[in-house]
Amino acid sequence: MRIAVYPGSFDPITKGHIDILERSSKLFDVMVVAVVHNVNKQGLFTLEERVQMIRECTGHLPNLEIDYFSGLLVDYISRKGATAIVRGLRTVSDFEYELHMAMMNHQLLPEVDTVFIMSNSKYFFVSSSLVREAALLGADVSDMVPPNVAVRLKAKWEERRQERGPLR
Ligand code: PNS
């Protein structure tokens, strides 16, 4: 059985991530979406919210497992019995970071390889960090994230707006 892990922060999941998942899940028997639990980095959404949002918008993909991990990715990969890491690639600037990560992971666990999927050109500029920033300033990001995520981002914006008052 070919098991792959698609790790990431997913804070929040975007349409770019979903596109990578739709395409990569055809290449493997089981695709594990693994949300990193980084105790040193507070995200916009909690770990549980991120997992829940991924679950809500990926019901059409039958061979997905949604999970989270902390610590080293390669340790998690070994526990899952996976042989591949899936990552999406957008720009040249992604490439350098991704190359280093793939080489480090391969050095730590030679049985694992990283499979890169080129991002769909529609989502080339879409990143969770830019989506968060724009949404929290009131932008409509519904073209970039699934509807369930757009609703939650809007709620966060409302929450912050009430705390902060109107922008000038
Ligand atoms: O979506 P992101 O934030 O780009 O994902 C980065 C992620 C989670 C894949 C990476 O930070 C990671 O693998 N973290 C786990 C800790 C680890 O194994 N670090 C060494 C990787 S070379």
Side-chain angles (χ1 to χ4, degrees):
M1 179 132 79
R2 289 164 309 154
I3 304 174
V5 171
Y6 182 32
S9 305
F10 302 105
D11 187 29
I13 188 166
T14 66
K15 285 189 179 176
H17 292 127
I18 295 171
D19 172 63
I20 299 289
L21 270 175
E22 286 171 347
R23 290 156 59 205
S24 60
S25 63
K26 293 186 193 135
L27 306 175
F28 297 96
D29 300 309
V30 178
M31 274 295 306
V32 183
V33 186
V35 184
V36 68
H37 178 37
N38 186 344
V39 282
N40 299 316
K41 196 169 145 194
Q42 214 206 330
L44 176 62
F45 292 102
T46 65
L47 184 65
E48 292 73 19
E49 286 173 320
R50 292 180 215 182
V51 167
Q52 178 63 24
M53 284 187 281
I54 297 170
R55 194 157 281 138
E56 286 164 0
C57 64
T58 55
H60 60 300
L61 299 172
N63 59 339
L64 283 205
E65 183 186 320
I66 299 149
D67 195 9
Y68 61 88
F69 74 102
S70 54
L72 266 183
L73 176 61
V74 287
D75 289 343
Y76 177 75
I77 300 272
S78 299
R79 289 201 296 279
K80 295 306 277 186
T83 51
I85 297 168
V86 168
R87 295 285 288 173
L89 266 189
R90 289 165 305 192
T91 53
V92 175
S93 55
D94 274 355
F95 179 76
E96 201 168 334
Y97 168 63
E98 293 295 338
L99 175 69
H100 291 165
M101 210 157 57
M103 289 175 80
M104 173 65 104
N105 284 327
H106 187 69
Q107 176 76 25
L108 295 173
L109 185 65
E111 302 87 280
V112 77
D113 269 304
T114 302
V115 174
F116 292 110
I117 307 268
M118 292 311 297
S119 167
N120 185 315
S121 57
K122 275 196 292 192
Y123 306 124
F124 226 62
F125 63 97
V126 176
S127 67
S128 297
S129 56
L130 282 183
V131 160
R132 278 196 312 268
E133 182 174 334
L136 292 180
L137 292 169
D140 175 5
V141 292
S142 53
D143 284 349
M144 302 164 218
V145 295
N148 64 318
V149 174
V151 167
R152 288 196 194 227
L153 282 168
K154 194 136 195 238
K156 288 270 180 205
W157 173 62
E158 285 289 351
E159 226 173 77
R160 298 217 170 172
R161 200 167 59 137
Q162 280 177 17
E163 283 164 14
R164 179 198 61 215
L167 291 172
R168 301 199 286 138

